[in-house]
Amino acid sequence: MSYVDGFVAAVPTINKEKYIEHAKLSAVVFKDHGALKITESWGDNVPDGDITSFPMAVKCGKDETVVFSSVVWPTKEVRDAGWAAIMDDPRMHPDQNPMPFDGKRLIYGGFDVILEE
């Protein structure tokens, strides 16, 4: 089965176009290093919670929007090798592709796929 990286972040709403440009370049780099599919999603119906929620998890401000992203890899091994290459790829250095959001509030993790329909 495949392997998936998931990401949640709060992006200043005013930076939506900058985020899209950042995501487009990042997607090319990820695919160059073995990713099969990249999905970037701009929050539309992301409610606040009482105990937990996406906005609470990333400390989303009133002038920010929650984004949800995923990267599908063929295997964890390809993912691990891909990430190592991505970190060394000059296209991902902050001077080439700066993150248009606060990376300290980015939530991410890798997941073994247990069901695909």
Side-chain angles (χ1 to χ4, degrees), residues 14-15 20 25 30 32-33 35 37-38 41 43 50-51 60 62 65-66 73 85 87 96 99 106 111 113:
I14 197 167
N15 286 350
I20 292 169
L25 176 56
F30 275 68
D32 284 351
H33 295 295
K37 181 178 180 179
I38 292 91
S41 306
D50 293 326
I51 297 173
C60 191
K62 293 186 185 305
T65 300
V66 173
W73 303 89
M87 292 295 102
Q96 292 290 320
M99 290 191 303
L106 173 71
F111 301 85
V113 175

Side-chain angles (χ1 to χ4, degrees), residues 25 41 52-53 55 57-58 61 66 72 80 83-84 102 115:
L25 176 56
S41 306
T52 189
S53 67
V58 294
V66 173
V72 178
D80 291 347
W83 268 109
D102 180 2
L115 176 69

Side-chain angles (χ1 to χ4, degrees), residues 3-92:
Y3 195 83
V4 175
D5 283 316
F7 307 87
V8 179
V11 177
T13 305
I14 197 167
N15 286 350
K16 183 176 183 180
E17 291 306 316
K18 287 181 184 178
Y19 182 82
I20 292 169
E21 290 306 311
H22 169 80
K24 284 179 180 178
L25 176 56
S26 298
V28 169
V29 174
F30 275 68
K31 285 189 170 185
D32 284 351
H33 295 295
L36 300 174
K37 181 178 180 179
I38 292 91
T39 303
E40 295 284 350
S41 306
W42 191 260
D44 176 58
N45 182 16
V46 187
D48 288 322
D50 293 326
I51 297 173
T52 189
S53 67
F54 282 124
M56 291 170 69
V58 294
K59 298 184 179 184
C60 191
K62 293 186 185 305
D63 60 342
E64 295 177 315
T65 300
V66 173
V67 297
F68 179 83
S69 307
S70 65
V71 179
V72 178
W73 303 89
T75 65
K76 184 177 188 308
E77 293 74 25
V78 171
R79 178 261 199 176
D80 291 347
W83 268 109
I86 289 164
M87 292 295 102
D88 288 337
D89 193 308
R91 295 172 292 176
M92 292 302 288

